[in-house]
Amino acid sequence: MSQAPERLTFFNRGLMKFRILSVLFALSLLFWSCDEPLPYDNSDFIYNPFAFSQDTLNTFTDISAGDSEVEWAHHLRAWVGETKYYKSGFTLDFTFSDSSVVIGQADSIQIHFRHQMTFPENGADTLSDTYQSFDFYNTLGSPIDINSGYYGTLLGSDTMNVSGGNNYWSYTLPDSTLIDGDTTISLAILPGSAGSLSALYGGGSTIRPSLTFYYHEADSAGDDSVTTIPFLADSLYMSLMKKTEAFDPQYAYLSQLSNDSLIFSLNLVDLEPGDDTLLHVISAQFLPAISNDSSALYISTLTDSLRKYSLTVTDPESEITLGITLGANEEYIENEIKAIIQAALDDGRTTVDLIVRSNHIGYDPGFVAISMVASESAIFVNSSVAVRP
């Protein structure tokens, strides 16, 4: 009888050890199932899936900004308008043969546009029953200068309903704008009033602006008959001016209306695991210091909501380009650059440049403001290690 308690105690101790091991085993399984990385494919190293690390690394050493002209001549959109951020307009070149059209006999000559959408001054505004004035110029073959305000000879103005969405606009050129013998003309369309930016179908579209000659004559029954000879624009050149006083110099602005770029120089030394170890990047997020208050994001509709803004991140060494999408709730919808970081580490590089650009050049008038203070941006890396046996 005296040995029974000892046997019971021994049994209870064994049961307790079994329970502890069971809990540890269950936690291990849970940990493995929640965050299982892809296997590391290198026969010289043994992959250790349990040596995880998660770090937010403020290792950017420099941010430099650059920009270049967008090639607007063959772009699907052309922009005309003025807001507190931008002023834009465009010129159109037309070529026609005097043998196919008798200019002096035309009753009227009209320029036609297809309006796609208009963005208001403020993304929270609506465009119900909104009209904007546009000015039409004969540029006499000279390039316009939107900064100085020289546009050529003013032909006139017209007011258009920009709340109607996808619709057509027409403007009749004044008499004697074209005369017999002319074979070319260059016209400019610029904003006559401020408050919005309008997108028209541009030079890269099959429905780009056109010039139409109208000839009226009586038919056999004596009724009016109309003959038309249309000419599509041969080329389109857009001018865009950023209003510098509207932009804070402490930020760099990535705009969809221009070919802006930022280069983030990243130091990878903190990710170097050692001579006998390789780092396996499970995920890596790029976290530029975006100011939501200084950014202006619009969606491609006539209403007011903010949805997303798309960027690309490129490593010029590996030529890998990845996408980043910023959502309306100030969170990233897509943000994964592990392929860039892993490629740099595999190449033995201690630094990498990340070139960041807008992913929809020429499409929407929004922009993101990013702090030029390098230490405010970061990458978040989730990784494990592979060790040499």
Side-chain angles (χ1 to χ4, degrees):
M1 296 293 293
S2 61
Q3 294 179 353
E6 293 181 2
R7 288 197 299 271
L8 185 59
T9 301
F10 177 79
F11 176 78
N12 288 338
R13 288 175 181 172
L15 182 60
M16 184 173 294
K17 289 181 180 180
F18 176 77
R19 288 174 175 171
I20 292 174
L21 290 174
S22 298
V23 170
L24 291 175
F25 181 71
L27 287 174
S28 299
L29 287 177
L30 178 63
F31 181 66
W32 173 264
S33 63
C34 290
D35 207 1
E36 180 181 359
L38 296 174
Y40 192 85
D41 186 15
N42 190 324
S43 59
D44 295 333
F45 288 81
I46 297 176
Y47 177 59
N48 183 356
F50 295 101
F52 285 105
S53 64
Q54 293 181 328
D55 297 293
T56 300
L57 304 175
N58 296 89
T59 55
F60 289 102
T61 58
D62 181 67
I63 301 175
S64 56
D67 58 80
S68 60
E69 291 294 325
V70 175
E71 178 53 59
W72 290 104
H74 304 291
H75 209 279
L76 291 173
R77 286 190 185 181
W79 292 90
V80 57
E82 181 176 359
T83 68
K84 63 182 178 180
Y85 301 111
Y86 304 103
K87 185 176 182 180
S88 66
F90 57 92
T91 60
L92 294 160
D93 290 340
F94 293 92
T95 302
F96 37 86
S97 170
D98 194 41
S99 62
S100 64
V101 56
V102 182
I103 296 173
Q105 294 181 7
D107 294 300
S108 65
I109 305 172
Q110 292 185 359
I111 186 168
H112 299 281
F113 306 91
R114 186 167 176 176
H115 170 250
Q116 191 175 23
M117 65 189 65
T118 291
F119 291 83
E121 170 93 358
N122 184 332
D125 293 340
T126 58
L127 289 168
S128 58
D129 299 325
T130 301
Y131 293 82
Q132 291 292 328
S133 177
F134 298 92
D135 294 338
F136 299 85
Y137 290 82
N138 185 347
T139 65
L140 306 177
S142 302
I144 66 172
D145 186 344
I146 203 166
N147 291 287
S148 66
Y150 173 75
Y151 310 129
T153 302
L154 177 65
L155 298 176
S157 299
D158 202 359
T159 300
M160 314 290 187
N161 182 359
V162 298
S163 66
N166 198 335
N167 52 21
Y168 284 92
W169 295 342
S170 297
Y171 175 73
T172 301
L173 300 182
D175 293 341
S176 302
T177 301
L178 282 167
I179 60 175
D180 283 333
D182 289 340
T183 57
T184 62
I185 189 172
S186 181
L187 302 172
I189 294 85
L190 292 128
S193 59
S196 65
L197 277 175
S198 294
L200 311 181
Y201 285 92
S205 171
T206 57
I207 50 175
R208 60 187 181 272
S210 63
L211 199 66
T212 304
F213 294 80
Y214 288 83
Y215 300 89
H216 292 258
E217 59 184 0
D219 59 18
S220 58
D223 297 324
D224 182 58
S225 175
V226 180
T227 300
T228 61
I229 302 178
F231 293 88
L232 289 176
D234 296 293
S235 56
L236 183 151
Y237 306 95
M238 206 187 86
S239 297
L240 175 71
M241 180 185 73
K242 286 185 178 180
K243 296 183 176 180
T244 55
E245 69 275 7
F247 294 93
D248 192 327
Q250 69 176 308
Y251 299 107
Y253 294 85
L254 296 181
S255 170
Q256 293 189 351
L257 289 184
S258 58
N259 201 7
D260 305 321
S261 64
L262 285 177
I263 300 177
F264 290 76
S265 297
L266 175 62
N267 189 336
L268 298 177
V269 171
D270 290 344
L271 292 177
E272 290 292 333
D275 294 337
D276 61 346
T277 308
L278 288 180
L279 194 71
H280 173 53
V281 179
I282 300 168
S283 63
Q285 281 76 48
F286 176 47
L287 305 172
I290 294 175
S291 170
N292 294 291
D293 293 335
S294 299
S295 301
L297 306 181
Y298 300 84
I299 62 170
S300 299
T301 70
L302 301 176
T303 52
D304 57 359
S305 298
L306 166 71
R307 289 187 181 175
K308 63 182 181 179
Y309 193 89
S310 298
L311 300 167
T312 60
V313 181
T314 300
D315 170 20
E317 290 284 333
S318 64
E319 299 183 346
I320 297 174
T321 296
L322 302 170
I324 288 181
T325 304
L326 185 68
N329 55 358
E330 302 178 5
E331 295 180 356
Y332 288 98
I333 300 173
E334 180 182 9
N335 185 5
E336 182 56 70
I337 63 165
K338 66 178 180 180
I340 290 177
I341 303 301
Q342 186 70 68
L345 292 172
D346 292 346
D347 292 342
R349 285 183 276 158
T350 57
T351 61
V352 63
D353 286 337
L354 303 178
I355 304 175
V356 183
R357 300 184 180 93
S358 170
N359 196 29
H360 293 107
I361 299 297
Y363 275 81
D364 299 323
F367 53 81
V368 292
I370 299 177
S371 172
M372 291 297 287
V373 179
S375 61
E376 293 181 0
S377 295
I379 58 170
F380 176 78
V381 179
N382 183 12
S383 61
S384 60
V385 296
V387 297
R388 192 182 300 278

